[in-house]
Amino acid sequence: MKKIINDPSTVVAQSLRGLALAHGDLLRVEQDPAVVVRADAPVADSVAVISGGGSGHEPLHGGFVGPGMLHAAVPGAVFTSPTPDAVQAAVAATTGDAGALLIVKNYTGDVLNFETAAELAAADGKDVRSVVIDDDVAVADSTFTAGRRGVGGTVLLEKITGAAAERGDSLDAVEALARKVIGQVRSIGVALTSPTVPHAGQPSFDLGDGEVEFGIGIHGEPGRERIPAEPADALVERLLAAVVEDLPYAEGDEVLLFTNSMGGTPLLELYLAHGIAERLLAERGITVRRRLVGPYVTSLEMQGMSVTLLRLDEELTELWDAPVRTAALRWGR
Amino acid sequence: MKKIINDPSTVVAQSLRGLALAHGDLLRVEQDPAVVVRADAPVADSVAVISGGGSGHEPLHGGFVGPGMLHAAVPGAVFTSPTPDAVQAAVAATTGDAGALLIVKNYTGDVLNFETAAELAAADGKDVRSVVIDDDVAVADSTFTAGRRGVGGTVLLEKITGAAAERGDSLDAVEALARKVIGQVRSIGVALTSPTVPHAGQPSFDLGDGEVEFGIGIHGEPGRERIPAEPADALVERLLAAVVEDLPYAEGDEVLLFTNSMGGTPLLELYLAHGIAERLLAERGITVRRRLVGPYVTSLEMQGMSVTLLRLDEELTELWDAPVRTAALRWGR
């Protein structure tokens, strides 16, 4: 294993230190427990939108902390759920009378620890709700989950609920909006190589020269099937078909298409895949109204990609377009 | 070789198609020859700032086309200089009476082809100047260059000259500014793994499990020396020392610190390295006034990083802070 680290046990803390130095205008980092908090938190009268999960998926979630998106992010150890006390610290640092929405990716540890934190916060008199995102159509259950996993759709959910909080929506409204997004977003991914977790020191799985893992999870956990590597046209069609047929998305739908790199896949390939996805959606009569292309939900250095579709309406489009200023996503004022 | 492509011969054209679909609000793509042009080009009364080079370094350069940065980018084949007719097409699409500045990374093919294009443009009556950036302190000459290579500093040069063009500076002023930036910017990189060029089909070089290539080029060409892998603290000190001692940057200087991923190195590691670099600069009495952290000048999926320092003054800081709206860099309005 070659990595730019000092020691596996200090990777997350030292990385967060660099994040805070790089983006001091947007966020601050608290250690012990580790929490990334908006520089201007708590934001008076605004619902706090908080997410988190294991590290190693950057820029998720710390890269999305800032005006118009997350109020706090709670990073666990690499590929490990954050502890309840860390989630509780994030709530304490951000949440006022308007309450907080916790966005939880559907992994057993995350669900349990965020639930515990929500109960602790409720005991402190805070109005804290949580929603669980499970957009990955690849498998019904997996190594780390009961039910589907939460993957790329998380970014879209954080952006849209963050925009709603920013414009002053109530906790009831933000929660309802989150459930609407979760109902309309679906994803699937593929891996060409394995990530290497620092404290493991070796690749999480073996994948032959001529094969890819279709329906991979973001921790390198198994997907639907291991298939022979194929040209991009065929691979992207396979990804899109799985997503489109699941909801299903239908002719006449307008969607946001999110073409995501798992980390190690270069932009040269990712834009190529994005172009294919746009063509295939057009052939199905589905209109791509908004796009996001880049490495936003990664699995360390894993090569691969995922495709996420979100069915749009006027409200979701307006919230997607609303200004955002974070380390990883930034537009408008 | 596993890549998300259809065929090595169509990678760049198909990737550009995806880029255009993803960012139609910012840019358009012309094919045969391939050129990425600002959607609103030509911009009346503004100097056109144009750059380009081999593909495989994305988001450089196409990801920097848009208001406040480049007017056009000219992508060659992977790791291959663009042809003079492509550069000429970029000039034709963007350049009016105010003229154009060509930003050329110091590689023999690039210098030759951009020079030829500038001569052709001059014959057409266009005022076209070019500057050559050679910020890589690693080696005096290399496989692809006479003199030092152009690497990470290119991004800073494109941003700052693009901002000057946007505010209406004359070609004389933009050219002088470019030479000032080139005089104050220095970089060096390190590779942990090799990239694989699609049409080669195998890694560009072999690097043992326990070694790294210090002073790597962005085409995977050899650097200063092959050294044993070492902890991040030592590696970042080695990178920074080479850069700081070259100009040299001195106690009391204010700088922009650009911590760049070569593509395959995850943000978790990159922010960790950035934090170390900030600490080491502080220990030398050098003040980090602005930062850029991310994968901006890459070498396909190569794991590794580079460090770039730019000495700042009020003018450069103001131009760096000026609004920019491109696929890869975006802030302000």
Side-chain angles (χ1 to χ4, degrees):
Chain A
M1 174 185 67
K2 279 184 291 186
K3 288 182 179 288
I4 303 173
I5 64 174
N6 286 311
D7 185 282
S9 67
T10 56
V11 166
V12 172
Q14 294 190 353
S15 184
L16 290 173
R17 185 174 174 282
L19 180 77
L21 287 163
H23 305 291
D25 56 326
L26 295 171
L27 55 85
R28 65 174 192 268
V29 168
E30 299 174 2
Q31 304 271 14
D32 304 316
V35 183
V36 182
V37 181
R38 257 176 75 162
D40 58 352
V43 181
D45 302 329
S46 168
V47 169
V49 180
I50 299 168
S51 191
S55 293
H57 308 298
E58 290 72 21
L60 190 80
H61 300 270
F64 300 128
V65 171
M69 208 159 168
L70 295 180
H71 292 73
V74 195
V78 174
F79 292 179
T80 303
S81 300
T83 54
D85 66 311
V87 180
Q88 199 187 6
V91 171
T94 57
T95 305
D97 292 342
L101 182 74
L102 308 183
I103 292 178
V104 186
K105 300 197 299 301
N106 190 34
Y107 298 97
T108 307
D110 287 25
V111 171
L112 195 67
N113 291 353
F114 276 83
E115 258 176 24
T116 304
E119 285 163 15
L120 294 167
D124 284 349
K126 306 253 189 199
D127 192 358
V128 176
R129 321 268 179 90
S130 60
V131 292
V132 175
I133 175 153
D134 55 353
D135 56 312
D136 186 349
V137 306
V139 290
D141 297 295
S142 78
T143 323
F144 299 105
T145 58
R148 290 177 162 188
R149 302 172 294 210
V151 289
T154 312
V155 177
L156 314 186
L157 179 60
E158 293 177 0
K159 168 68 181 79
I160 288 171
T161 53
E166 193 78 15
R167 73 177 178 190
D169 281 14
S170 70
L171 182 55
D172 280 344
V174 178
E175 184 187 3
L177 176 71
R179 296 191 191 283
K180 173 176 159 180
V181 170
I182 291 167
Q184 299 186 189
V185 68
R186 295 292 185 274
S187 303
I188 196 167
V190 63
L192 278 61
T193 62
S194 169
T196 296
V197 176
H199 63 256
Q202 52 190 23
S204 304
F205 56 89
D206 289 317
L207 203 53
D209 267 355
E211 53 184 15
V212 304
E213 181 79 24
F214 181 71
I216 191 78
I218 58 174
H219 309 93
E221 69 271 31
R224 272 193 192 179
E225 53 178 335
R226 197 159 283 198
I227 59 169
E230 57 190 356
D233 280 338
L235 186 64
V236 176
E237 165 60 27
R238 187 185 296 269
L239 291 164
L240 264 188
V243 171
V244 168
E245 290 160 16
D246 187 88
L247 192 66
Y249 300 87
E251 192 172 343
D253 277 355
E254 299 193 317
V255 298
L256 187 160
L257 167 60
F258 171 26
T259 306
N260 176 61
S261 165
M262 294 294 203
T265 282
L267 284 184
L268 186 72
E269 296 172 38
L270 194 67
Y271 277 116
L272 185 149
H274 179 77
I276 296 168
E278 290 233 8
R279 173 171 54 77
L280 294 173
L281 286 168
E283 286 172 12
R284 289 171 190 261
I286 296 169
T287 302
V288 179
R289 201 166 163 184
R290 294 291 183 274
R291 303 80 182 153
L292 183 66
V293 185
Y296 293 107
V297 182
T298 64
S299 183
L300 295 168
E301 66 281 86
M302 186 167 87
Q303 287 179 35
M305 63 172 289
S306 63
V307 169
T308 297
L309 290 182
L310 169 65
R311 189 159 56 202
L312 290 174
D313 58 17
E314 287 309 316
E315 181 191 28
L316 297 186
T317 306
E318 184 185 310
L319 289 164
W320 177 256
D321 289 345
V324 60
R325 194 161 63 87
T326 68
L329 273 194
R330 180 181 296 235
W331 56 72
R333 260 162 307 171
Chain B
M1 173 185 67
K2 278 183 292 187
K3 288 184 178 287
I4 303 173
I5 63 174
N6 286 311
D7 185 282
S9 67
T10 56
V11 167
V12 172
Q14 293 190 355
S15 183
L16 290 173
R17 185 173 175 282
L19 180 78
L21 287 163
H23 304 292
D25 56 326
L26 294 171
L27 54 86
R28 65 174 192 268
V29 168
E30 299 173 3
Q31 304 271 14
D32 304 314
V35 183
V36 182
V37 180
R38 256 176 75 162
D40 58 352
V43 182
D45 302 328
S46 168
V47 169
V49 180
I50 299 169
S51 192
S55 292
H57 308 299
E58 290 71 21
L60 190 80
H61 300 269
F64 300 128
V65 170
M69 208 158 167
L70 295 181
H71 292 73
V74 194
V78 174
F79 292 179
T80 303
S81 300
T83 54
D85 66 310
V87 180
Q88 199 186 5
V91 171
T94 57
T95 305
D97 293 342
L101 182 74
L102 307 183
I103 293 178
V104 187
K105 301 196 300 301
N106 190 33
Y107 298 97
T108 307
D110 287 25
V111 170
L112 195 67
N113 291 352
F114 276 82
E115 259 175 24
T116 304
E119 285 163 16
L120 294 168
D124 284 348
K126 307 251 188 199
D127 192 358
V128 176
R129 321 267 178 90
S130 60
V131 292
V132 175
I133 174 153
D134 56 353
D135 56 312
D136 186 350
V137 306
V139 290
D141 297 295
S142 78
T143 322
F144 299 105
T145 57
R148 290 176 163 188
R149 302 173 293 211
V151 290
T154 312
V155 178
L156 313 186
L157 179 60
E158 293 177 359
K159 168 66 181 80
I160 288 170
T161 53
E166 193 79 16
R167 73 177 177 191
D169 282 15
S170 70
L171 183 54
D172 281 343
V174 177
E175 183 187 3
L177 176 71
R179 296 190 191 284
K180 174 176 159 180
V181 170
I182 290 166
Q184 301 186 187
V185 68
R186 295 292 186 273
S187 303
I188 196 167
V190 63
L192 279 61
T193 62
S194 169
T196 295
V197 176
H199 63 255
Q202 53 190 24
S204 304
F205 56 88
D206 288 318
L207 203 53
D209 265 355
E211 54 185 14
V212 303
E213 181 79 25
F214 181 71
I216 191 79
I218 58 173
H219 309 94
E221 70 271 31
R224 274 192 189 179
E225 53 178 335
R226 197 159 283 199
I227 59 169
E230 56 191 358
D233 280 340
L235 186 65
V236 176
E237 165 61 26
R238 187 185 296 270
L239 291 165
L240 264 188
V243 171
V244 168
E245 290 160 15
D246 186 88
L247 191 65
Y249 300 86
E251 192 172 343
D253 278 355
E254 299 192 319
V255 298
L256 187 160
L257 166 61
F258 170 26
T259 306
N260 176 61
S261 165
M262 294 293 203
T265 283
L267 285 184
L268 185 72
E269 296 172 37
L270 195 68
Y271 277 116
L272 185 149
H274 179 78
I276 296 168
E278 291 232 6
R279 174 171 54 78
L280 294 172
L281 286 168
E283 286 171 11
R284 288 169 189 262
I286 296 169
T287 302
V288 179
R289 201 166 161 185
R290 294 292 183 274
R291 300 85 179 151
L292 182 66
V293 185
Y296 293 107
V297 182
T298 64
S299 184
L300 295 168
E301 67 281 84
M302 187 166 86
Q303 287 179 35
M305 62 172 288
S306 64
V307 168
T308 297
L309 291 181
L310 170 65
R311 189 159 56 204
L312 289 174
D313 58 17
E314 286 308 316
E315 181 191 28
L316 297 187
T317 306
E318 184 185 310
L319 289 164
W320 177 257
D321 289 346
V324 60
R325 193 161 63 87
T326 68
L329 274 194
R330 178 182 300 235
W331 56 72
R333 260 161 307 169

